[in-house]
Amino acid sequence: MPSLEGRNGTRGSGGGRKLSAPRLRSDAPERAGLDPGLPRRLVQRVRDLTAGEPPWAAGAVVAVGRGPVLAVEEAAGWAVRYAAYDARGGTGVELPASSRVPVTPGTPFDLASLTKLFTAVAAVQQIERGTLGIDAEVGAYLPDFRAAAVHRLTVRHLLTHTSGLRPELPLHDCADGAERLARLRAEAPAGPVGTYRYSDVNMLLLQQILERITGRALDVLVHDGITRPLGMTATRFGPCPGAAATEDQRRPWAKADRGMLRGVVHDENAWALGGVAGHAGLFSTARDLSVFCRALLSGGSYGPARILGPGFTELLLAPPGLGFALDQPWFMGELAGRGAAGHTGFTGTSLVIDRATDTFVVLLANTVHPCRRPPDSRPRAAVATEVARAVRDR
């Protein structure tokens, strides 16, 4: 496998001295201080996750690295297995074997809420540049968003999910973009400001701020400030041909009637917003996300590229975390407890970076293919725990 290199020493944010950090290379686990049996165990796990009836996911890819070593990159199952969902039988309608598409390590997946991590990095880049204040009020940047201004919501409230805003708005039911924008402008906190309440709306407001202060769309900010400097050529907002399929999206189990989805965003609100949203919309591969993880573990640098300075990477990942969740055993397993940071996505994705051991775990899966169901993060936690126990020198 080739070295995973960034491009030409581009800096993604700020200015100043050019930093350099190790690039990832594929190598044996023991070269990274990991148990040499880890790949075999994780191969079995991803195979188990994509087996059975129904499987946890139709397909899955896992990538694990420590230091500059990408020690595991394994795939199993199907990127496309089902033609439709049979609601009466509660089962997927399987494609003929000749029409199925296998998952490979390079298969892109709909990241769902992992998109929030990129929005958070884009915001902290603006904080580093001095164009955004973390404790500045939303109303200072979006005076037309009267509800946020009246309740004196701040950028920090949005990044830490303490705005009191409800988890989501039914923007997919709005007639047009003008109505969707009006709903966002009028949305007031439904709970106490300062109390944690996870909300997609936070990242939608943050997107509005970033686009207002920079004059550039979020997809451009993510590309120019994060993915292009890091050489993450497989990471983009959709459409993304060749991505793993997600849901046969129909009412009543979904919020829109769109049929079997592949290469277009699963989240209904992100779809209604044209596929580019602060909370969802990105597609990526395990390898690209490994580079993202390595950059954050290296203080914001990857090779000669820099997307954040070390102090601002610390701001991003220090308690309580800006956009990132910290030390959550329900999906981080035994990696939680020492400042591990990460996130999950509704489609079956997750990412964990553990600064205490310089380790990362990426698990991409299409658990919503062919239909959404109650989330089960036990496999995510089990994979992370397997990695935590493989670290030889804690």
Side-chain angles (χ1 to χ4, degrees), residues 11 20 46 53 57 99 110 136 195 207 222 239 258 278 296 298 326 337 356 359 380:
R11 288 198 300 271
S20 185
V46 295
E53 292 297 335
S99 299
D110 181 335
T195 301
Q207 176 186 2
V222 169
R258 301 167 62 200
L296 294 175
S298 297
L326 302 186
T359 304
R380 290 165 167 151

Side-chain angles (χ1 to χ4, degrees), residues 285-377:
T285 63
R287 187 177 296 194
D288 261 23
L289 290 179
S290 296
V291 171
F292 181 66
C293 292
R294 184 66 253 153
L296 294 175
L297 286 168
S298 297
S301 296
Y302 184 76
R306 180 173 81 84
I307 60 168
L308 284 174
F312 290 91
T313 305
E314 177 66 24
L315 175 68
L316 183 76
L317 300 176
L322 302 182
F324 285 75
L326 302 186
D327 290 328
Q328 299 296 309
W330 61 273
F331 77 92
M332 297 178 180
E334 291 181 11
L335 282 177
R338 301 180 301 274
H343 215 286
T344 64
F346 185 77
T347 50
T349 59
S350 61
L351 174 159
V352 183
I353 60 173
D354 180 28
R355 293 192 291 168
T357 59
D358 201 25
T359 304
F360 67 82
V361 183
V362 174
L363 179 60
L364 302 181
N366 53 349
T367 59
V368 296
H369 183 53
C371 184
R372 67 185 69 192
R373 53 189 165 173
D376 178 7
S377 282

Side-chain angles (χ1 to χ4, degrees), residues 3-49:
S3 177
L4 311 181
E5 297 189 1
R7 291 187 180 179
N8 301 325
T10 307
R11 288 198 300 271
S13 72
R17 181 169 64 88
K18 190 180 293 185
L19 303 176
S20 185
R23 297 184 176 110
L24 283 173
R25 69 178 192 276
S26 295
D27 211 332
E30 52 266 39
R31 297 295 296 271
L34 294 169
D35 187 329
L38 179 64
R40 173 183 50 79
R41 294 194 296 273
L42 289 183
V43 166
Q44 189 59 54
R45 281 198 178 274
V46 295
R47 288 176 178 170
D48 291 345
L49 292 178

Side-chain angles (χ1 to χ4, degrees), residues 232-248:
M232 296 172 62
T233 57
T235 305
R236 65 180 68 88
F237 286 92
C240 182
T246 53
E247 186 176 28
D248 180 9

Side-chain angles (χ1 to χ4, degrees), residues 39-93:
R40 173 183 50 79
R41 294 194 296 273
L42 289 183
V43 166
Q44 189 59 54
R45 281 198 178 274
V46 295
R47 288 176 178 170
D48 291 345
L49 292 178
T50 57
E53 292 297 335
W56 179 72
V61 181
V62 63
V64 176
R66 189 176 187 212
V69 174
L70 181 62
V72 179
E73 189 179 16
E74 300 291 345
W78 303 98
V80 184
R81 176 175 173 176
Y82 303 98
Y85 176 67
D86 178 5
R88 286 188 294 181
T91 59
V93 179

